[in-house]
Amino acid sequence: MKYYSTNNPNHKVSLKEAVLKGLAPDNGLYMPEAIPVLPQAFFDTLHTKSFQEIALEVAHAFLKDDVPTAELKRIIEHTISFDAPLVEFAKNVFALELFHGPTLAFKDFGARFMSQLLGYFAKEEKREIVILVATSGDTGSAVANGFLGVPGTKVVVLYPSGKVSDIQEKQFTTLGQNITALEVDGSFDDCQRLVKEAFLDEELKTKFFLTSANSINIARLIPQSFYYFYAWSRLKEKNKVVFSVPSGNFGNLTAGLIAKRMGLPIRHFIASTNINDIVPEYLQTNKFNPRPSKVTVSNAMDVGNPSNFARMLDLYQNDFEKLKADVSGFDFSDEETQTAMRDVFTNNKYVLDPHGAVGYLGLKKYLEVNINSTGVFLETAHPAKFLEVVEEAVNISIDLPDRLKIFIKNKKQTILLDKSFTSFKAMLQKSLTN
Ligand SMILES: *Cc1c(COP(=O)(O)O)cnc(C)c1O
């Protein structure tokens, strides 16, 4: 299967090139040239299969020509080494818990799959592969931990200074080995811009084998479709399922749209955001107006220019009405988010993290009008990752899982940087050549 750039459908590359390049040379995002549609028999028997078996069949449909089945099986077994349980806490309202991986956030799925796939491709490369990743929190930890110790790779994480939680920061600044953390005096959008500029810089491209691990990488997107199939397979009522996806860069939601295109009968999607409401606004007005991000309590979704929006448009051939028929958008303030966390804890004895709370709110709003639906919202992180916000909202103390305690004990090591590309480039050359 070939992959084309959203900026030019005639520019097609192999899977390997799409994964190693991350971003197309024309700044577009890679998309599979055809989205495989799975046969009815697959859906009829889905409930009898394990999460790993489901994931392998979905991955195989995309990658069968590019990765040997035995290798794909190994990659899947490594990626899906933890469950994604559905928790019903009101009639027809389910949380899909995606935080049971090593860094307690859904980004573990994409990062683990991608690091394994890159490791497979890296064997053929002579140069070291450098993974540049801009993070607003969770991507950095998932990617850094996914690649930690993978031979032939180096990871450089850029993050906005003071704008990620202490626990998040510890998960990618304490690792050492092949992981370097750059603390940028700027916003997440600045970090994302620096990464994009590096990919366009001829000198850097000649010197290093650069690749990206942000949600723009197609190897992050494909595995994020697995859990839509799995969750659907475990629901009793399968013909009226809607998913609410707490969104920032819209990778998670795009993966859901891809699952639907593969034949999974999802009735509707809800794009739930914090006040960075660029996509909900688009769905109301047909105007896409990216702007600087604002800081919120759900900081992994503080994105002012959602990168996967280009893929969403591409999937619907820029047809606004068609996209709108499949996706509704709602945005929520911090106050609404905190109230939801408090109410859900009081009424359902369930502790939401601030991102899941936004997903929950979007679902609730949708269900007010569309009563006859089975609603699933994605719970994208463990509440302990956002301790201060959660404890303030629900007024109880949260126990840290052991996996988090280990990170907190270790010492932070970062390189401070202003937000100019010149400084970033100089730093990159210095830290990668020694
Ligand atoms: C990254 C992240 C999101 C947003 O996911 P996108 O795919 O960027 O839309 C939501 N919640 C958490 C906890 C995240 O880390």
Side-chain angles (χ1 to χ4, degrees), residues 106-107 138 246-252 300-301 355 380-381:
F106 85 92
K107 292 196 173 70
D138 281 339
S247 296
N249 267 318
F250 283 80
N252 221 355
M301 311 197 300
H355 306 79
T380 46

Side-chain angles (χ1 to χ4, degrees), residues 170-184:
K170 281 282 174 100
Q171 289 178 88
F172 55 82
T173 58
T174 57
L175 297 168
Q177 295 187 51
N178 58 335
I179 315 294
T180 304
L182 301 183
E183 189 172 354
V184 178

Side-chain angles (χ1 to χ4, degrees), residues 287-343:
K287 292 205 173 63
F288 184 64
N289 177 27
R291 47 191 179 266
S293 61
K294 298 181 196 128
V295 176
T296 74
V297 294
S298 47
N299 63 32
M301 311 197 300
D302 294 350
V303 180
N305 189 2
S307 50
N308 280 291
F309 184 69
R311 284 196 173 111
M312 292 169 69
L313 281 186
D314 191 82
L315 273 171
Y316 288 84
Q317 277 117 22
N318 290 300
D319 187 329
F320 175 68
E321 293 302 327
K322 275 203 191 132
L323 177 57
K324 221 174 80 160
D326 281 355
V327 188
S328 302
F330 301 115
D331 59 280
F332 301 95
S333 67
D334 279 357
E335 203 185 328
E336 289 171 299
T337 305
Q338 277 156 320
T339 305
M341 291 163 75
R342 201 169 303 131
D343 290 349

Side-chain angles (χ1 to χ4, degrees), residues 112-183:
R112 288 162 73 78
F113 185 84
M114 179 181 166
S115 62
Q116 293 307 307
L117 193 60
L118 253 172
Y120 168 69
F121 289 137
K123 285 179 204 151
E124 299 161 21
E125 289 300 324
K126 299 211 169 47
R127 281 188 298 173
E128 192 171 55
I129 294 180
V130 178
I131 296 105
L132 293 183
V133 52
T135 185
S136 56
D138 281 339
T139 300
S141 53
V143 171
N145 284 278
F147 279 97
L148 184 65
V150 174
T153 69
K154 238 181 204 168
V155 176
V156 179
V157 182
L158 292 85
Y159 73 103
S161 180
K163 296 196 180 75
V164 305
S165 78
D166 293 347
I167 301 173
Q168 283 180 324
E169 190 178 34
K170 281 282 174 100
Q171 289 178 88
F172 55 82
T173 58
T174 57
L175 297 168
Q177 295 187 51
N178 58 335
I179 315 294
T180 304
L182 301 183
E183 189 172 354

